[in-house]
Amino acid sequence: MPRKHHMDFRFKIIRILISLLISGIFISGCISFEMVKRIEGSPVTPPGDTIQVGKTTLETALLLLGAPDQLAEMEGKDLLIYEQALYRDNRISVGIPLGDITGPNIDLSAYGTLVRYNTLALFFSPDGILRDIVFENGSDHPYLKTLFPEEDKK
């Protein structure tokens, strides 16, 4: 009978050592969370009363707003696009250093990105008079992508 007690004691010691080893590995690991906010482009605000359809000229719009981010021609009209992109990246990473035991380390990570676009689009006739205004705040896509969606590739 004393032998059985001796064997149970050994198994308890081994279990305790393995538990300490495993907990030491997980405790010495690294958990990180990163949150990045980034803005590209100049602020885009609603045009207000300073820019009016049928009255504002291309020259006046350029003087008030500056150079546009993009230029395009659509159906004989000149399109000026002022666009600001707001990026939010969130990342979480868990690293468990197992290099001493198994060779490579374990690294688990997940991330998500949210992009919103604020856009002011001005359509000018060939004679330089403003014909249409589009203002979007917090759109999922850049304005030109909403006008020209990519066709499904087969």
Side-chain angles (χ1 to χ4, degrees), residues 4-148:
K4 187 176 182 187
H5 178 46
H6 185 64
M7 292 293 282
D8 288 341
F9 181 73
R10 274 190 183 173
F11 284 125
K12 284 183 183 180
I13 294 284
I14 290 172
R15 278 190 279 166
I16 290 171
L17 289 175
I18 290 173
S19 297
L20 288 174
L21 181 64
I22 290 173
S23 65
I25 289 169
F26 285 108
I27 290 172
S28 66
C30 176
I31 297 175
S32 65
F33 180 73
E34 178 183 17
M35 185 169 51
V36 177
K37 293 181 183 179
R38 198 170 42 134
I39 298 174
E40 289 183 9
S42 300
V44 176
T45 58
D49 295 334
T50 57
I51 297 177
Q52 296 179 355
V53 173
K55 295 182 181 178
T56 303
T57 64
L58 178 61
E59 291 176 24
T60 304
L62 290 172
L63 285 173
L64 292 171
L65 301 172
D69 296 304
Q70 297 177 35
L71 294 169
E73 191 271 322
M74 289 184 54
E75 300 173 0
K77 295 179 184 174
D78 293 320
L79 172 60
L80 278 63
I81 298 175
Y82 297 88
E83 197 158 58
Q84 180 184 49
L86 308 156
Y87 296 92
R88 292 184 183 191
D89 294 329
N90 295 314
R91 300 170 193 266
I92 189 165
S93 178
V94 178
I96 303 169
L98 297 175
D100 296 339
I101 297 170
T102 63
N105 295 330
I106 295 175
D107 183 24
L108 307 170
S109 60
Y111 65 92
T113 302
L114 177 66
V115 182
R116 293 289 181 243
Y117 297 91
N118 298 332
T119 305
L120 175 63
L122 305 174
F123 294 84
F124 288 91
S125 61
D127 61 351
I129 303 297
L130 182 63
R131 294 297 169 208
D132 197 11
I133 298 174
V134 175
F135 176 74
E136 292 185 8
N137 193 20
S139 173
D140 290 344
H141 302 290
Y143 187 67
L144 282 180
K145 190 171 183 178
T146 63
L147 293 177
F148 305 108

